[in-house]
Amino acid sequence: MKIVIPGGTGHLGRILTDSFRRRGDEVVVLSRNVEAPARLWDGRTLGDWAAEVDGADVVINLAGRSVDCRYGAKERDEILRSRVDSTRVVGEAIARAKRPPSLWLQASTATIYAHRYDDYNDEHTGIIGGHEPDVPEEWRFSVEVAKAWEQALDDARTPCTRKVKMRMAMIMSATPGGPFHALLRHVRLGFGRFGDGRQYMSWIHERDFVRAIRWLIENDLEGAVNLAAPEPLPCEAFLSELREAWGTSLALPVHGVALQLGAMMFRTEPELVLKSRRVMPQRLMEHGFGFDFTTWHDAARDLCARWRRAAPESEVRMPAVW
């Protein structure tokens, strides 16, 4: 196949690119970074890059500024614009193609669902967030971004191309740069739950993420699909499993002022760890997709073992508390 991946120089893009190329597929990566080994685009306007879409089999749009930052006015604008503009212009390229791709996989996020503890959010019965009465304003912003992102996909007139909204949970990978690396650092420093620890954390192992992408290419689903493992866990239990997998027991809770100061120090937002994301991959399961890692217990042990093998010895050989 020929696969075009806008925004493919990020963490997820590298995982997918490596996997597809190992299988012998042609992968064209689009990036705004002039120094990246990729085809240049600006993520806003049509250009020569659109010729790569014409005749491609699949487009996987991952473009969008990282949300791992403080939500200042400039950052909010970049987060929103980078998602909506890139989705819009990918749709324009597909609409103008003489040989449009048969499939457009569009990144979205499980953050679109409401903050809830009592029940799961799946594609059929999930509650779209943004109207919860007692959540911070930053959480509403994230939901509004997610809705605008998906609306840009819906607005694209591409009748010959199947469209899938990939509502992604945290993709857990042993390679540096993703959420697993950040959470493992948290555990190794001896910290425990965030806040009261009741909020659910949804996740998917990188192997199942790649397998789900390939499965979506080969099967005829369209619309919203949750990319998440079938076992979301409360934060406290989630981090406890990670501590056990790594082999440490110290767990100092992080809440209140300490949580706010930590978020400021690492230039991120508390929402990323405090919002309850209890997501179920109902459509994948209904249509026969089988996960290699259904439980965080098994996934955490696999990821920790692989991280130990790949990390520099100086990082693995740290004081006992870590």
Side-chain angles (χ1 to χ4, degrees):
M1 293 186 299
K2 179 180 179 181
I3 301 166
V4 179
I5 308 182
T9 54
H11 183 246
L12 299 185
R14 293 193 300 271
I15 291 172
L16 288 177
T17 297
D18 290 347
S19 174
F20 283 123
R21 285 178 175 164
R22 283 197 301 269
R23 198 174 68 168
D25 296 315
E26 176 187 358
V27 180
V28 178
V29 174
L30 306 181
S31 174
R32 294 180 297 170
N33 184 355
V34 296
E35 298 181 356
R39 187 76 183 264
L40 193 65
W41 79 326
D42 65 3
R44 298 189 307 273
T45 56
L46 287 171
D48 294 342
W49 61 266
E52 301 288 0
V53 172
D54 197 337
D57 296 289
V58 182
V59 173
I60 307 174
N61 185 20
L62 303 175
R65 189 204 193 284
S66 172
V67 296
D68 188 10
C69 63
R70 301 293 287 177
Y71 291 173
K74 178 175 179 291
E75 289 76 13
R76 290 185 187 217
D77 183 67
E78 290 176 351
I79 288 169
L80 177 62
R81 289 293 108 215
S82 63
R83 283 160 173 73
V84 173
D85 289 348
S86 63
T87 305
R88 172 187 51 77
V89 79
V90 166
E92 290 176 5
I94 292 174
R96 296 188 182 198
K98 294 180 180 177
R99 295 169 299 158
S102 59
L103 174 62
W104 175 5
L105 295 172
Q106 174 58 49
S108 182
T109 172
T111 299
I112 198 169
Y113 292 116
H115 170 78
R116 64 193 303 196
Y117 304 102
D118 58 335
D119 204 352
Y120 296 103
N121 281 310
D122 63 31
E123 301 93 340
H124 306 305
T125 62
I127 300 172
I128 300 299
H131 304 290
E132 302 96 314
D134 299 319
V135 299
E137 189 272 334
E138 290 84 0
W139 298 22
R140 295 189 182 90
F141 163 73
S142 295
V143 172
E144 291 306 313
V145 167
K147 291 194 290 188
W149 203 2
E150 292 194 356
Q151 188 62 51
L153 178 71
D154 292 338
D155 290 343
R157 298 182 178 276
T158 56
C160 296
T161 300
R162 177 167 58 96
K163 298 187 290 188
V164 176
K165 306 169 187 176
M166 301 184 295
R167 291 178 175 170
M168 297 184 291
M170 293 187 295
I171 288 82
M172 308 302 275
S173 166
T175 57
F180 177 77
H181 187 253
L183 291 168
L184 183 60
R185 177 184 60 190
H186 175 86
V187 163
R188 296 176 77 197
L189 289 172
F191 298 125
R193 69 174 190 267
F194 301 104
D196 63 13
R198 295 174 54 237
Q199 70 276 25
Y200 276 79
M201 302 182 74
S202 287
W203 58 278
I204 184 170
H205 190 286
E206 66 171 320
R207 187 191 304 173
D208 284 326
F209 170 67
V210 171
R211 291 180 58 250
I213 295 295
R214 291 177 178 169
W215 189 90
L216 287 168
I217 291 172
E218 296 166 0
N219 291 269
D220 289 333
L221 264 68
E222 57 185 340
V225 177
N226 292 340
L227 298 189
E231 188 198 65
L233 287 174
C235 175
E236 188 163 23
F238 184 93
L239 294 177
S240 176
E241 289 282 6
L242 183 53
R243 283 194 304 276
E244 184 178 334
W246 181 255
T248 187
S249 58
L250 185 62
L252 302 173
V254 182
H255 52 77
V257 174
L259 179 61
Q260 296 296 330
L261 289 175
M264 291 177 63
M265 181 183 302
F266 289 106
R267 301 296 303 162
T268 190
E269 284 288 337
E271 178 222 11
L272 299 178
V273 293
L274 290 182
K275 179 174 179 178
S276 187
R277 297 168 174 86
R278 194 175 185 184
V279 177
M280 184 62 66
Q282 194 66 34
R283 296 193 70 201
L284 286 178
M285 294 190 300
E286 285 174 352
H287 290 83
F289 179 79
F291 289 84
D292 284 346
F293 292 92
T294 57
T295 70
W296 177 234
H297 175 92
D298 293 338
R301 279 150 184 75
D302 174 79
L303 292 165
C304 284
R306 291 171 55 211
W307 193 95
R308 287 182 188 274
R309 291 195 297 268
E313 186 175 353
S314 59
E315 288 195 31
V316 176
R317 292 183 177 274
M318 297 177 74
V321 68
W322 291 326

